[in-house]
Amino acid sequence: EIMSSILVVDDSISMRQMICFTLKGAGYEVEEGGDGVEALEIARGRTFDLVLTDVNMPNMDGITLTRELRTLPDYKFIPILVLTTESAGNKKQDGKGAGATGWIVKPFSPDKLLSTISKVLA
């Protein structure tokens, strides 16, 4: 069975390492982007089954990235999960407006990350 592929976008290297370690351990294929610009380049080259992006990043933030991805035909319906520390509702509204599928609030446990992803990919 082919494992789902996930694009992980975060400007924090330690955060990316933790997420990638967790996802690879669960059998997902993972590619990494350091910000929205880099992630968009990667996404233009191939389609992933899911995109996991942080909100606050240099060059292009996660909300803008989500909006940009939604304009690509291959990403119209791909789940996009946004990592956020904001419990503030306005970021969630922005994300929803941009086309985000859902949220993972930081800090999160590896189990929480995996259960959210498997729900969205089901």
Side-chain angles (χ1 to χ4, degrees):
E1 157 190 359
I2 304 206
M3 270 328 261
S4 300
S5 58
I6 300 177
L7 176 58
V8 174
V9 193
D10 199 311
D11 60 319
S12 155
I13 293 170
S14 56
M15 194 68 181
R16 279 208 318 269
Q17 282 172 336
M18 189 276 278
I19 293 170
C20 292
F21 179 79
T22 301
L23 295 179
K24 285 175 183 162
Y28 292 107
E29 188 211 327
V30 183
E31 195 149 335
E32 303 174 45
D35 61 37
V37 174
E38 195 182 328
L40 198 54
E41 269 311 296
I42 297 169
R44 287 200 172 108
R46 61 166 293 197
T47 310
F48 292 86
D49 298 305
L50 180 134
V51 178
L52 188 62
T53 179
D54 190 31
V55 172
N56 300 316
M57 298 181 290
N59 304 319
M60 184 191 292
D61 66 76
I63 305 288
T64 308
L65 172 62
T66 300
R67 195 175 294 122
E68 291 289 328
L69 285 172
R70 287 295 183 223
T71 68
L72 304 176
D74 288 343
Y75 285 87
K76 273 211 178 0
F77 305 109
I78 301 277
I80 301 176
L81 291 174
V82 178
L83 298 172
T84 177
T85 43
E86 340 267 335
S87 34
N90 63 336
K91 277 287 180 225
K92 293 195 175 171
Q93 281 318 109
D94 290 350
K96 269 218 167 359
T101 310
W103 295 91
I104 299 177
V105 178
K106 296 197 269 193
F108 50 83
S109 67
D111 290 347
K112 171 84 179 133
L113 177 66
L114 292 174
S115 70
T116 305
I117 285 175
S118 63
K119 269 198 206 82
V120 173
L121 284 174

